[in-house]
Amino acid sequence: MKGRLLGLVAVSAVAVVPAAHGSRQPVTMPATMPATTAPPPIVNVKVTITDSRINMHPKRGQRGAIGRFILLNVGAKPHTFTLGHKRHGTGTQTGFTKALRPGAQSIHVFYLDYRGKLPYLSPLPADRSKPGMRGTFTIY
């Protein structure tokens, strides 16, 4: 019995010693780990709001990217910008709403995780009847 126990201790000591002395063994990565740790791409979307229309450039972004929406109200009246829906499908947020005073600028960061078309508009009563105050942003 002592012989078996001594043999087991000797084998385990040999297995531990190379790692303790700085032996470099190749490490294999599991298949589920990403190949890179780079952050997702950032899409800068410039939104200019006038009293008669909303100009957005670009009008599309890649799914999985981070959208940085730069909102600028160049009109003489306050406007509200709404992208997407507060709730969509399973109850998750797929949009945002931001009110801007005349001459104000705001930056809103939004993760583009929903694939499809998100409507944008100005929901104020004075802007709803203007066709230039609405459009769609596409996440492909």
Side-chain angles (χ1 to χ4, degrees):
M1 178 74 177
K2 271 187 167 182
R4 285 188 188 175
L5 184 59
L6 188 58
L8 183 61
V9 170
V11 169
S12 63
V14 170
V16 172
V17 170
H21 289 285
S23 169
R24 294 191 180 214
Q25 300 275 337
V27 178
T28 58
M29 301 287 277
T32 59
M33 293 194 61
T36 182
T37 57
I42 296 175
V43 178
N44 289 318
V45 181
K46 186 171 183 182
V47 180
T48 306
I49 305 169
T50 65
D51 289 334
S52 61
R53 70 183 308 102
I54 297 174
N55 294 318
M56 179 184 285
H57 183 73
K59 288 189 174 188
R60 50 187 268 154
Q62 183 179 1
R63 181 176 182 245
I66 295 175
R68 184 169 45 195
F69 290 83
I70 304 163
L71 308 173
L72 178 62
N73 183 0
V74 296
K77 301 180 204 172
H79 293 284
T80 300
F81 178 78
T82 299
L83 174 70
H85 311 283
K86 286 287 188 179
R87 301 263 176 203
H88 189 281
T90 60
T92 58
Q93 179 179 344
T94 59
F96 65 91
T97 299
K98 183 67 178 171
L100 296 168
R101 297 182 324 271
Q105 179 177 343
S106 177
I107 296 175
H108 192 86
V109 178
F110 182 65
Y111 183 64
L112 306 176
D113 63 344
Y114 168 78
R115 181 170 286 154
K117 295 182 183 236
L118 293 177
Y120 66 84
L121 60 105
S122 179
L124 298 178
D127 294 335
R128 279 188 248 165
S129 63
K130 299 175 186 173
M133 297 298 274
R134 69 183 79 235
T136 56
F137 181 79
T138 305
I139 303 173
Y140 60 94

